[in-house]
Amino acid sequence: MFGLKPFRYLSQPIRILFMANAVVFAICFFSRTLHLDSLYSYLVGYGALVPVAYEQAWRYLTYAFIHVNFWHFAFNMFSLWMFGDDVAMAIGFRRFWILYIFCAVFAGLFSIPFYLFGAMSPMTFIIGASGALMGIFVAYARLFPDRMILMFFVIPMRIKHAIWIFIALDVFMAGSNDTIAHFTHLGGVLSGFLCMYFFEHDIWAKLRGEFQEKRRGKPKGTPEDPLEGEVRFLDNQKQLDMILKKVSESGVNSLSESEKSFLIRESERRRHGGFRGF
């Protein structure tokens, strides 16, 4: 019903994130169970995002890997498993890492002023991957707007509508003093929209290209720049390797029609030829 792949078939970024979060959760769980209070206090005390310690830069990333409650951990990893893999495959692994890390850091930065200068306590400990996952949820809604999900595990709804309900709930509950970091969620939403806007308009690539051209000292559009469609491969394996690398970095949607056709033809040829592992 939820469309979950077996773990071994998940994309590499999702498996890495899942295992990293699981290891940290296991350390927290067993340190509390075995009364190793110093280890638990050290991990949470130095890893959580604490508004009054806003100058400690590492916290803006480490907080996203810490879960101390089983249901908090389980729900976040379920969300990562359910939405993250499709996003990673659609935009490519490199862009997925940029999206995830950017959303985690931005969500933390965004929430700090609300705790320092608002009604919430500046001594609050903020933990969990929810901020980054809200960014992933936004990316999923941008990529697959008409896919259906079960809202609250009950109500079938298109993802493009569900995302706005989640945003409205976080806005409404932001000042409720409950145990949920609603401002961090909202920061994740905003950073998700920003990051996807950059990807959709290829701003990252343009900035990188301009920087590389300045380093080379070569004006844009000189003959050394290969024109799309001019490169031909005599070696099918080499072309296949280049296409698979492109998919890994930028997603399936980055392929041209000719590259997609070649990938399908090569897959069929190798399948009928008894080749395994492609």
Side-chain angles (χ1 to χ4, degrees):
M1 179 179 292
F2 298 110
L4 297 180
K5 291 182 181 178
F7 183 80
R8 66 181 180 275
Y9 295 130
L10 293 173
S11 57
Q12 185 187 56
I14 306 304
R15 285 186 280 118
I16 290 173
L17 286 170
F18 191 95
M19 289 187 290
N21 279 277
V23 167
V24 177
F25 172 72
I27 294 172
C28 290
F29 176 80
F30 286 111
S31 62
R32 294 178 74 183
T33 303
L34 301 175
H35 304 292
L36 302 174
D37 296 334
S38 58
L39 176 60
Y40 176 82
S41 298
Y42 182 86
L43 186 63
V44 177
Y46 285 95
L49 181 60
V50 186
V52 293
Y54 62 86
E55 77 284 356
Q56 296 175 351
W58 72 85
R59 294 180 182 272
Y60 294 99
L61 183 59
T62 56
Y63 84 97
F65 292 88
I66 298 176
H67 300 83
V68 299
N69 177 277
F70 172 77
W71 292 112
H72 186 205
F73 166 77
F75 181 79
N76 278 352
M77 293 304 99
F78 173 79
S79 300
L80 177 65
W81 200 318
M82 185 173 182
F83 300 107
D85 188 68
D86 284 342
V87 172
M89 294 302 295
I91 67 176
F93 296 173
R94 181 183 298 177
R95 285 186 171 189
F96 180 84
W97 282 117
I98 293 172
L99 173 68
Y100 193 89
I101 294 172
F102 177 74
C103 289
V105 173
F106 186 95
L109 286 168
F110 178 86
S111 60
I112 290 296
F114 293 97
Y115 292 99
L116 283 178
F117 308 113
M120 312 298 289
S121 170
M123 294 300 295
T124 301
F125 276 46
I126 303 170
I127 58 174
S130 301
L133 290 172
M134 288 300 290
I136 299 299
F137 194 49
V138 168
Y140 191 91
R142 298 285 293 183
L143 292 164
F144 315 106
D146 292 317
R147 286 193 180 176
M148 301 293 291
I149 67 167
L150 288 178
M151 189 76 170
F152 308 119
F153 301 101
V154 176
I155 307 170
M157 185 178 295
R158 283 186 170 84
I159 190 77
K160 64 183 179 183
H161 301 140
I163 182 66
W164 294 109
I165 293 178
F166 283 125
I167 293 170
L169 287 173
D170 276 317
V171 171
F172 180 75
M173 298 295 292
S176 64
N177 266 332
D178 59 10
T179 59
I180 299 174
H182 295 287
F183 292 114
T184 309
H185 289 186
L186 293 171
V189 167
L190 178 59
S191 57
F193 278 114
L194 286 173
C195 207
M196 289 304 293
Y197 177 85
F198 271 49
F199 289 154
E200 289 164 1
H201 292 80
D202 218 17
I203 294 175
W204 298 116
K206 291 175 183 176
L207 292 174
R208 186 171 64 248
E210 291 176 3
F211 175 72
Q212 289 173 347
E213 285 167 9
K214 288 179 181 179
R215 289 189 62 186
R216 291 197 302 262
K218 180 173 70 67
K220 187 176 181 179
T222 56
E224 292 127 353
D225 292 330
L227 299 177
E228 185 177 353
E230 288 191 347
V231 180
R232 296 290 184 268
F233 292 87
L234 296 177
D235 185 345
N236 282 350
Q237 183 60 49
K238 184 178 292 186
Q239 184 174 5
L240 179 62
D241 292 342
M242 292 293 291
I243 291 174
L244 292 177
K245 182 180 179 182
K246 188 175 181 181
V247 171
S248 174
E249 292 179 350
S250 303
V252 175
N253 293 336
S254 67
L255 297 181
S256 66
E257 289 303 318
S258 61
E259 288 170 332
K260 290 178 182 177
S261 297
F262 174 84
L263 194 59
I264 293 171
R265 289 196 310 270
E266 193 68 9
S267 176
E268 290 295 324
R269 185 180 70 81
R270 296 189 177 214
R271 187 180 298 114
H272 291 119
F275 180 84
R276 297 183 182 274
F278 174 63

